[in-house]
């Protein structure tokens, strides 16, 4: 049986959020980007725009309420302009969800640090236009 071709097309949706050390509590997940039902992350990255400077270490994971590190395993955010790619998993939640970040700092509390989270996704079943 031949594959049924789909004429439906959609644009990739781009979202980003800026996060400061003051927005985060060590060890606590923070919601960042809201995703609609059936959204599948297809790419993205975290860019440390200003180095975090806790006394000993600063690490970040990116995930969701189901799996804390679904998109990025623990990575250091102590180097300015460092870029860490998100892992594409194909996960498709059937309800509205949020991308979450969890920062863990050790030693003295940071006095500086910021990052930008970029997420690109598509929504399964969404049709913006068709291509014959």
């Amino acid at each position: 049986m031949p594959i049924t071709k789909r004429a439906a097309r959609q644009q990739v949706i781009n979202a980003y959020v800026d996060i400061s050390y003051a927005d985060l509590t060590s060890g606590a997940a923070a919601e960042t980007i809201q995703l609609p039902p059936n959204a599948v992350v297809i790419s993205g990255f975290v860019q440390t725009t200003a180095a975090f400077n806790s006394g000993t270490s600063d690490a970040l994971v990116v995930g969701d309420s189901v799996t804390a590190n679904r998109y990025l395993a623990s990575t250091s955010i102590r180097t300015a302009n460092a870029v860490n790619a998100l892992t594409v998993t194909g996960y498709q939640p059937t309800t509205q969800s949020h991308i979450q970040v969890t920062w863990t700092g050790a030693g003295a509390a940071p006095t500086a640090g910021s990052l930008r989270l970029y997420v690109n996704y598509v929504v399964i079943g969404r049709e913006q236009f068709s291509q014959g």
Side-chain angles (χ1 to χ4, degrees):
M1 176 179 283
I3 295 172
T4 302
K5 297 177 185 175
R6 289 179 42 90
R9 300 290 190 265
Q10 68 176 283
Q11 302 288 340
V12 173
I13 301 165
N14 303 291
Y16 74 90
V17 62
D18 291 314
I19 303 167
S20 166
Y21 74 96
D23 300 328
L24 303 170
T25 300
S26 184
E31 293 182 347
T32 59
I33 296 171
Q34 181 178 319
L35 299 176
N38 300 312
V40 177
V41 173
I42 60 170
S43 66
F45 61 92
V46 173
Q47 179 182 21
T48 305
T49 51
F52 281 65
N53 66 351
S54 292
T56 305
S57 65
D58 293 282
L60 187 80
V61 298
V62 180
D64 54 39
S65 63
V66 177
T67 305
N69 63 351
R70 182 181 308 280
Y71 302 110
L72 181 65
S74 185
T75 189
S76 176
I77 52 174
R78 294 178 66 85
T79 303
N81 298 314
V83 173
N84 293 284
L86 300 183
T87 299
V88 176
T89 66
Y91 179 66
Q92 180 184 336
T94 57
T95 60
Q96 177 181 297
S97 62
H98 290 84
I99 302 291
Q100 297 181 338
V101 298
T102 305
W103 160 74
T104 303
T111 58
S114 61
L115 57 91
R116 181 172 286 160
L117 171 64
Y118 295 88
V119 175
N120 301 314
Y121 65 94
V122 295
V123 181
I124 302 302
R126 182 174 188 225
E127 299 181 15
Q128 287 182 300
F129 58 94
S130 64
Q131 178 176 328

